[in-house]
Amino acid sequence: MHENVNDSWLRRFGPPLDSGMRLICFPHAGGAASAYVSLARALAPDVEVLGVQYPGRQDRRHEAPVEDVNRLADLIAAALPADPARPYALFGHSMGAVVAYEVALRLTRDGRPDPVRFFASGRGAPSLGPGSSDGLRGDAELAAEMRRLGGSRGVLGDPELMAMAMPALRSDYRALGAYSWATAEPLTCPVSVLIGDADPLVTPDEAGTWLDHAKSGGTLRVFPGGHFYLDGLVRDVADAIRTDLQLAAGFAPA
């Protein structure tokens, strides 16, 4: 029997698996669960990918976005499946890395099974403080930032799509601007850090500060590309994820 997942918060990309590794993916600011469709296909059938769908976008566009990272983490942690026999990992890109980090801390505090691996992509650790663009609010500033980061040209070039995307994007940047790191509590699992070598937001050294938050150490991988390096290197990133997950108990690739 397939385990139920929370239909409000989680999106599954492919047929459900009865067992095996599960990767829960957290989108970037303004992003949606669908950002991970290609990664899910690249990891199938070894890993079941679930994308977190924040309120205020796509099929949740009529819901108010959550403008507080800690509140968002509370809600997501409560919604995650809790099968103690099934290993899982967390993957967050940019803002998603911060949200995933806060979710991981909450799961540990609640006595839930810990993730076997934490993947932080395109973001420095919370101990570095706010990023240079955290807290941007003006629509013109946000659109310019998306162009600088190499965001979707299809959205940036379509006024109607931009108008639909802007409320969630604006709210996410407000949430990032208000967020502050409040704990020295380390992650209990190993950490994998992934970064593009031309990312305008974070350097590889800054991204590597995530390893200071890991009791069990981890790895740093630098890929060619900018902030959205993943879009052009899905297979390479999937191979890196698969390699690190193979170190985790209970995972054997098909």
Side-chain angles (χ1 to χ4, degrees):
M1 180 179 294
H2 300 308
E3 180 189 10
N4 291 327
V5 300
N6 189 303
D7 291 335
S8 294
W9 286 94
L10 299 171
R11 303 291 176 270
R12 181 188 275 125
F13 307 117
L17 302 179
D18 291 322
S19 61
M21 184 64 67
R22 176 176 274 162
L23 183 68
I24 301 170
C25 296
F26 296 72
H28 56 277
S34 59
Y36 293 107
V37 170
S38 295
L39 184 62
R41 291 171 179 165
L43 286 169
D46 302 331
V47 180
E48 181 182 63
V49 173
L50 298 178
V52 177
Q53 190 76 304
Y54 307 144
R57 60 217 73 201
Q58 292 188 337
D59 55 344
R60 301 189 73 183
R61 63 187 179 278
H62 298 301
E63 300 178 46
V66 179
E67 296 186 355
D68 182 298
V69 168
N70 287 296
R71 175 59 179 158
L72 185 60
D74 288 340
L75 295 168
I76 295 169
L80 292 186
D83 181 352
R86 184 165 188 179
Y88 73 97
L90 304 180
F91 183 107
H93 179 69
S94 199
M95 172 184 168
V98 177
V99 179
Y101 166 77
E102 290 291 344
V103 168
L105 294 180
R106 282 156 175 74
L107 295 175
T108 297
R109 292 170 192 160
D110 292 345
R112 302 267 297 275
D114 294 323
V116 298
R117 197 93 186 181
F118 180 88
F119 294 88
S121 170
R123 179 88 189 190
S127 53
L128 290 179
S132 59
S133 60
D134 291 355
L136 289 177
R137 299 188 183 191
D139 289 2
E141 284 184 312
L142 290 170
E145 182 70 357
M146 291 303 99
R147 292 186 181 92
R148 184 173 80 95
L149 298 182
S152 172
R153 293 181 181 178
V155 174
L156 289 168
D158 188 316
E160 290 188 8
L161 291 178
M162 276 297 290
M164 291 176 62
M166 195 57 71
L169 187 63
R170 190 185 306 120
S171 294
D172 288 350
Y173 271 87
R174 286 193 185 117
L176 285 171
Y179 171 75
S180 61
W181 183 58
T183 178
E185 187 177 352
L187 294 165
T188 58
C189 61
V191 171
S192 296
V193 184
L194 304 92
I195 185 72
D197 61 1
D199 192 323
L201 284 184
V202 58
T203 67
D205 285 345
E206 289 169 337
T209 56
W210 279 105
L211 300 178
D212 298 333
H213 293 261
K215 274 185 177 179
S216 304
T219 59
L220 169 65
R221 289 187 175 86
V222 181
F223 296 88
H227 189 62
F228 292 106
Y229 70 91
L230 173 59
D231 292 346
L233 297 171
V234 173
R235 290 288 174 184
D236 294 324
V237 174
D239 287 344
I241 291 172
R242 199 177 274 111
T243 294
D244 286 352
L245 289 180
Q246 286 174 17
L247 301 175
F251 174 66

